[in-house]
Amino acid sequence: MRRARLAVLVSGRGTNLQAILDATRDPDYPAEVVVVVSDRPDAYALERARRVGVPAHVVLWSKDPEESGRRLAQVLEAHGAEWVCLAGFLRILDPRFVERYRGRILNIHPSLLPAFGGKGMYGERVHQAVLASGARESGCTVHFVTAEVDAGPVVAQARVPVLPGDTVETLAARVAEQEHRLYPEAIRRVVTGQVRFDDLVAEQRR
Ligand code: GRF
């Protein structure tokens, strides 16, 4: 079986990266991680990659988004990456980069998009907003990345209840558990062609 070549982009602790790396240990999993890239040299996720012998690179973000995107693409190309998985990557990708990898970039977001998404909605802020809204349910979403933040077609979602007495920490932990299950499964569906970007875009337009 030919395995799809993934680049994973990270900025932080990398528990989603870990879930993906764990999934790829199964020889029947249809993808492998060929490179991990962080915009932050101190991201613990880099350590997780190095531990299992996956090349780990830092691409520092400059004020020029186009140039940053070009440098990122150079690293991905050097490793023959075909798909790009954002896993807690906190930079907004330049539209030219997004176009270059059109339909081949995925992101995971810790809410049921379109609810609690968009610019500035990341990390704890998402769970804070969910709790403040009184919503009885939350979850996570894997979606294709398009130029508009958190608005690309949805590949898969998982739901969790919001429980009485939940704090940001307890809700985040419940959602994270689902993220770690959902992301490897969503990657499988996309790289095997079970879910296609163009089909989802056509559906959105209908
Ligand atoms: C996750 O909650 C993910 O949904 C969001 O950023 C967080 C990353 O966590 N995009 P980790 O670095 O994978 O542990």
Side-chain angles (χ1 to χ4, degrees):
M1 175 194 54
R2 189 189 169 278
R3 302 178 101 193
R5 298 175 67 81
L6 312 177
V8 184
L9 272 47
V10 294
S11 299
R13 62 186 182 149
T15 62
N16 280 284
L17 166 66
Q18 191 63 56
I20 297 167
L21 289 169
D22 291 348
T24 63
R25 283 168 46 198
D26 175 352
D28 290 332
Y29 189 74
E32 62 183 323
V33 179
V34 295
V35 65
V36 170
V37 181
S38 177
D39 59 316
R40 298 185 51 161
D42 61 347
Y44 182 66
L46 291 168
E47 196 49 45
R48 296 180 191 268
R50 291 187 191 115
R51 229 163 36 199
V52 291
V54 169
H57 286 264
V58 175
V59 172
L60 294 175
W61 234 243
S62 70
K63 284 209 181 88
D64 178 352
E66 184 177 7
E67 194 251 339
S68 304
R70 253 201 322 266
R71 282 190 287 120
L72 175 61
Q74 269 166 15
V75 174
L76 303 197
E77 269 176 23
H79 290 275
E82 301 160 322
W83 298 87
V84 184
C85 302
L86 312 186
F89 186 66
L90 293 176
R91 302 285 178 174
I92 293 174
L93 293 168
D94 185 64
R96 282 149 289 215
F97 179 91
V98 174
E99 193 45 44
R100 184 167 177 165
Y101 287 90
R102 183 179 183 277
R104 290 182 290 142
I105 313 176
L106 294 175
N107 181 41
I108 186 152
H109 184 84
S111 75
L112 295 172
L113 289 176
F116 307 106
K119 226 173 172 167
M121 269 293 183
Y122 59 85
E124 293 196 344
R125 293 188 197 184
V126 177
H127 304 299
Q128 251 154 21
V130 170
L131 290 175
S133 76
R136 309 221 347 229
E137 198 178 45
S138 190
C140 50
T141 304
V142 175
H143 65 94
F144 282 107
V145 172
T146 55
E148 200 186 331
V149 177
D150 292 339
V154 170
V155 175
Q157 289 186 313
R159 296 170 180 274
V160 302
V162 177
L163 300 176
D166 256 343
T167 61
V168 166
E169 289 72 28
T170 58
L171 179 58
R174 195 174 308 121
V175 171
E177 202 183 313
Q178 291 305 312
E179 291 187 34
H180 301 156
R181 198 187 50 74
L182 188 71
Y183 210 176
E185 181 50 33
I187 292 170
R188 177 203 295 278
R189 288 185 205 164
V190 166
V191 302
T192 56
Q194 280 174 57
V195 177
R196 290 174 203 274
F197 178 72
D198 287 330
D199 295 346
L200 296 179
V201 170
E203 233 168 73
Q204 265 185 346
R205 292 210 179 109
R206 239 177 264 148

